[in-house]
Amino acid sequence: MKITILDGAVENPGDLSWDALAALGDLTVYDYTAPEEILPRIGDAPIILTNKTPITRQTIDACPNLRYIGVLATGFNVIDIAAAKEKGIVVANVPSYGTQAVAQFVMAQLLEICHRIGHHNDAVQQGHWTACRDFSFWDYPLMELAGKTFGIVGYGRIGQATAELARAFGMNVIYYSRHGSGEGYLPLDELYARSDIVSLHCPQTPENVGMIDKTALAKMKDGVILLNTARGGLINEADLRDALLSGKVYAAASDVVSTEPIRADNPLLGLDNKRLQDAIDVYEYVTKLLIDAYKMKASDIHFEPMEKRYRVRYRVDGALREVDGPPKYLQANFTSRIKIMSHLDITEKRIPQDGRIQLSVGDKDIDLRVSSIPTTHGESVVMRILDKASIQLDIPKLGFYADDLELVNRIISLPDGIFLVTGPTGSGKTTSLYAFLNTINTPSRKIITVEDPVEYQLPGINQVQVDRHVEMTFAAALRSMLRQAPNIIMVGEIRDLETAEIAINASQTGHLVFSTLHTNDAPSAVTRLVDMGVKPFLVASSVRAVMAQRLLRRVCKNCAEPTVASPNEIRMLGLDDKFLSQATLLKGRGCEVCGGTGYKGRVGIYEIFMLTDELQELIYKKVAASTIREAARKSGMRTLREDALRKAASGITTLSEVIAATVGDAD
């Protein structure tokens, strides 16, 4: 009986004996077999053994004496199983071959990714630790495996052995198998979505060749780690390369490739290590910036391309604060990374785009509204941080004094009419409206909002998102909302005549309508509606009240100290001796709590008036906004500056903040 081993050197490089096989028959061992040598070397042998040498259908058809094919490995992918079955040829492998060794190697790969041992060893040898002033030296943050979710695709012997090691490291193990069930089993897509690490341990079959492609990668977490000790053909290597460069995949480790030995044109082999490292750095950098901004309670993050640098700024308490940004050469990487995270088109750089990112920071989920726009030096990106937990839905905590609070409560209790809130972008209008709606939201009332975008989800309230791609405009949504029989309607913004007219019609048919306008003060809101084309008598009969607002920075309580008004502040604000003698002026000297600014948090200032008969008469006559403002003041309206001065006198804010926020409000 002839026995032929086609590639013995692959399995046994000389440290094992073939004597046991030789005792069974006429044994011939070839170290390696080239494709053209396969048929001559098999000849009429009924038994052949192989490790990497492929046995195709053509080979099987040309060797009629074949009765047994042994694979000196764990898989069958080098054998045409269907052809062998048709010929009645037995095919066997070594199922327990390398089980523990492969599982151990998986962990070795993962530990190298998490700790960069090779890199840090080289860095120490090159003197980097010697030159470092710190006792602890590291170039990259180290990754804790405990608590991570380890997803295993293929749960045979090696998969199970790997699972045991992963659990020993404190990881949560989940797995997918074609015949899987029981504890830890999940459908494949769910495993992708939940895993911090995905490890492949399944055979390569025609059905799963290229199973890890851009579609599968898109289902995985941002920053996933991918391990492959199974078969190279399971991964679309070009798609993996793209995912590594974008930062979608934090790192990948594999001891197998699609064609072995690895070809010079393999997409992974040709990957520029510097670009790959930059991609990893960008992923870590962007994530760190987002988390830091959230911890600083920033409302916005600005990524701004300058001519010679890439500037990053946080807006904290309404003021922009520059932070350390990346080098200029990483600008394109940063933009691409952010666009991938927000599901924008990374190939489109000519037009503005808008998107959203959902991010988990600890046990909190935050949303980021993303806007990109092309500039002279590249794409500028701004992120608005929407922290659901931080929104203030308690009206008294918005900064109203007792008299204004009483007036607001009276307005939001009206059965119908329009209540307008005005102010510049970022002045807190949406927060105020949400607080009003939350206060009057009862089981007996139906409330519907139309917003662009829906910034926060309010329980018990029907919220509609504007979508111009399907012609869901404010006006279109508002028309449909009226057929839903609501009691209260909130329109995110009145931008045009059509929306204004529908809102007015709703207010005159028994609905209480809340909305916003962009005007500098409250009285200007009514003239703005007239300028849009709304008839004056409709404005006068439908608008019940208008509130203008701004946000001022609060003095940091941790470092607040008494101060006095400067001559310039006295002159610009027209402060008299009575005010100065009664005021308790404070300023923050700057501390760690407030980041050295002297301010922490913000407070609203308000200008509120209800329409009286006199004011309605003036609107009928289409008088100037200044005339309406004068009449509103006579009826008891307190200006933004007056409200701001009250808060400065109480030590809540500073006189410099009053000047900055009300520079156009001088009487």
Side-chain angles (χ1 to χ4, degrees):
M1 181 174 63
K2 296 177 67 175
I3 303 172
T4 300
I5 301 176
L6 296 174
D7 47 11
V10 176
E11 181 70 18
N12 177 14
D15 57 346
L16 297 175
S17 172
W18 297 112
D19 291 347
L21 281 173
L24 299 176
D26 182 11
L27 177 67
T28 303
V29 179
Y30 298 99
D31 287 342
Y32 302 98
T33 297
E36 66 274 11
E37 297 173 326
I38 295 175
L39 285 176
R41 289 184 174 182
I42 294 176
D44 59 353
I47 299 173
I48 62 171
L49 302 178
T50 182
N51 185 287
K52 301 294 184 183
T53 304
I55 306 298
T56 64
R57 176 178 288 276
Q58 289 76 15
T59 299
I60 291 172
D61 288 341
C63 300
N65 290 337
L66 265 182
R67 293 294 178 265
Y68 178 93
I69 302 173
V71 183
L72 301 175
T74 57
F76 297 101
N77 59 297
V78 297
I79 312 297
D80 191 322
I81 297 295
K85 186 176 181 179
E86 291 171 9
K87 298 290 186 179
I89 299 171
V90 175
V91 180
N93 67 347
V94 187
S96 60
Y97 165 72
T99 298
Q100 295 300 327
V102 175
Q104 179 179 307
F105 187 66
V106 172
M107 292 296 116
Q109 291 178 321
L110 183 57
L111 290 172
E112 172 60 24
I113 291 170
C114 294
H115 296 277
R116 314 280 182 102
I117 297 171
H119 168 86
H120 287 109
N121 176 69
D122 292 342
V124 171
Q125 296 291 342
Q126 294 164 12
H128 294 185
W129 191 13
T130 305
C132 178
R133 66 181 182 181
D134 296 326
F135 178 83
S136 299
F137 168 73
W138 49 271
D139 280 345
Y140 299 97
L142 307 182
M143 184 183 299
E144 292 280 353
L145 290 176
K148 294 286 192 295
T149 298
F150 192 94
I152 297 175
V153 181
Y155 209 56
R157 289 180 174 85
I158 295 177
Q160 293 174 41
T162 304
E164 289 183 18
L165 294 179
R167 293 189 186 99
F169 278 96
M171 289 184 278
N172 304 312
V173 176
I174 56 179
Y175 75 93
Y176 166 79
S177 175
R178 286 180 300 172
H179 309 294
S181 63
E183 186 177 358
Y185 170 81
L186 287 176
L188 188 57
D189 285 355
E190 189 172 349
L191 180 141
Y192 288 157
R194 291 179 55 179
S195 297
D196 301 300
I197 303 142
V198 175
S199 188
L200 303 182
H201 298 282
C202 54
Q204 181 176 312
T205 64
E207 295 78 21
N208 61 18
V209 170
M211 62 181 292
I212 305 298
D213 58 7
K214 61 183 178 181
T215 302
L217 291 165
K219 297 173 182 177
M220 298 181 190
K221 288 184 176 181
D222 290 344
V224 68
I225 294 173
L226 182 63
L227 309 173
N228 184 18
T229 54
R231 293 290 182 266
L234 298 174
I235 295 178
N236 182 310
E237 291 163 336
D239 289 351
L240 176 58
R241 180 183 188 276
D242 292 342
L244 284 164
L245 288 173
S246 71
K248 175 68 180 182
V249 175
Y250 173 79
S254 177
D255 68 337
V256 289
V257 289
S258 56
T259 302
E260 298 174 352
I262 192 167
R263 291 169 45 174
D265 62 351
N266 186 287
L268 299 178
L269 189 64
L271 188 63
D272 186 327
N273 289 333
K274 180 64 169 65
R275 289 188 66 196
L276 176 57
Q277 188 57 60
D278 286 346
I280 294 172
D281 291 344
V282 165
Y283 173 81
E284 294 177 342
Y285 209 150
V286 170
T287 304
K288 181 179 182 301
L289 285 172
L290 298 183
I291 293 173
D292 287 350
Y294 170 77
K295 290 179 177 179
M296 292 176 63
K297 299 188 181 303
S299 61
D300 303 272
I301 309 172
H302 295 250
F303 298 89
E304 301 166 312
M306 305 285 104
E307 182 179 4
K308 296 182 178 180
R309 66 191 183 103
Y310 191 53
R311 185 170 67 180
V312 180
R313 296 192 288 176
Y314 298 158
R315 189 178 296 278
V316 182
D317 296 331
L320 285 170
R321 186 183 305 177
E322 188 167 351
V323 298
D324 290 337
K328 176 70 175 177
Y329 74 88
L330 287 180
Q331 175 181 309
N333 299 57
F334 258 70
T335 303
S336 295
R337 177 64 203 156
I338 295 168
K339 291 172 82 173
I340 287 171
M341 293 174 70
S342 48
H343 306 290
L344 302 180
D345 184 356
I346 63 173
T347 63
E348 181 55 76
K349 301 177 174 62
R350 302 165 299 172
I351 59 175
Q353 297 187 70
D354 296 309
R356 298 185 80 120
I357 298 173
Q358 289 187 320
L359 184 70
S360 294
V361 180
D363 59 348
K364 292 185 177 180
D365 294 328
I366 60 173
D367 289 336
L368 296 103
R369 195 172 72 210
V370 181
S371 171
S372 73
I373 188 170
T375 71
T376 305
H377 302 296
E379 290 180 275
S380 174
V381 178
V382 177
M383 296 180 175
R384 170 67 58 87
I385 300 174
L386 305 172
D387 181 10
K388 301 172 184 176
S390 68
I391 185 172
Q392 184 55 255
L393 298 178
D394 189 3
I395 295 178
K397 293 182 179 180
L398 297 179
F400 292 103
Y401 279 119
D403 50 357
D404 285 341
L405 181 60
E406 181 184 355
L407 180 57
V408 165
N409 283 327
R410 188 159 74 246
I411 294 169
I412 65 176
S413 299
L414 293 170
D416 55 29
I418 297 178
F419 180 22
L420 293 173
V421 179
T422 76
T425 300
S427 60
K429 299 187 298 295
T430 300
T431 299
S432 293
L433 288 174
Y434 280 171
F436 299 158
L437 294 178
N438 186 64
T439 300
I440 59 178
N441 182 23
T442 64
S444 62
R445 293 187 173 113
K446 181 169 183 173
I447 303 175
I448 304 181
T449 74
V450 54
E451 305 169 60
D452 183 22
V454 175
E455 295 190 2
Y456 302 96
Q457 295 181 4
L458 301 175
I461 294 178
N462 302 278
Q463 296 172 271
V464 179
Q465 171 78 50
V466 168
D467 188 348
R468 294 174 183 80
H469 295 100
V470 293
E471 298 184 356
M472 178 61 85
T473 62
F474 277 113
L478 192 50
R479 280 194 295 269
S480 299
M481 286 164 55
L482 293 175
R483 294 191 287 270
Q484 295 286 313
N487 302 103
I488 299 163
I489 296 170
M490 193 269 275
V491 184
E493 183 182 351
I494 294 178
R495 297 178 178 176
D496 51 45
L497 176 59
E498 184 180 14
T499 304
E501 288 180 334
I502 299 172
I504 287 172
N505 179 62
S507 72
Q508 294 184 328
T509 53
H511 303 90
L512 180 60
V513 180
F514 296 85
S515 192
T516 70
L517 278 175
H518 286 284
T519 61
N520 291 327
D521 61 13
S524 298
V526 293
T527 58
R528 173 78 177 112
L529 289 174
V530 174
D531 292 341
M532 280 185 181
V534 181
K535 293 180 173 54
F537 78 89
L538 290 174
V539 176
S541 61
S542 59
V543 176
R544 297 286 184 265
V546 183
M547 181 178 83
Q549 70 176 76
R550 311 260 173 84
L551 293 174
L552 275 61
R553 291 184 291 176
R554 289 179 179 269
V555 174
C556 175
K557 294 180 180 179
N558 189 65
C559 62
E561 58 186 22
T563 188
V564 296
S566 70
N568 185 59
E569 291 169 340
I570 294 173
R571 179 182 58 82
M572 291 192 68
L573 296 172
L575 304 179
D576 56 25
D577 292 338
K578 181 180 179 182
F579 175 90
L580 295 171
S581 64
Q582 296 179 350
T584 304
L585 301 177
L586 298 176
K587 70 173 183 179
R589 66 178 180 273
C591 64
E592 292 183 358
V593 174
C594 61
T597 64
Y599 299 98
K600 186 68 174 178
R602 291 193 287 179
V603 65
I605 58 172
Y606 305 96
E607 182 176 277
I608 313 169
F609 75 95
M610 295 187 69
L611 265 68
T612 61
D613 291 342
E614 180 186 358
L615 288 168
Q616 288 178 327
E617 188 67 29
L618 291 174
I619 296 170
Y620 287 142
K621 297 177 180 179
K622 297 182 66 174
V623 302
S626 58
T627 304
I628 295 176
R629 179 177 179 83
E630 183 180 349
R633 294 206 61 190
K634 288 180 181 178
S635 68
M637 184 190 77
R638 184 180 298 104
T639 67
L640 287 167
R641 173 164 288 187
E642 289 170 340
D643 192 40
L645 284 172
R646 288 202 296 174
K647 285 161 181 161
S650 301
I652 297 173
T653 189
T654 63
L655 294 176
S656 61
E657 280 290 290
V658 175
I659 295 171
T662 64
V663 67
D665 193 40
D667 297 323

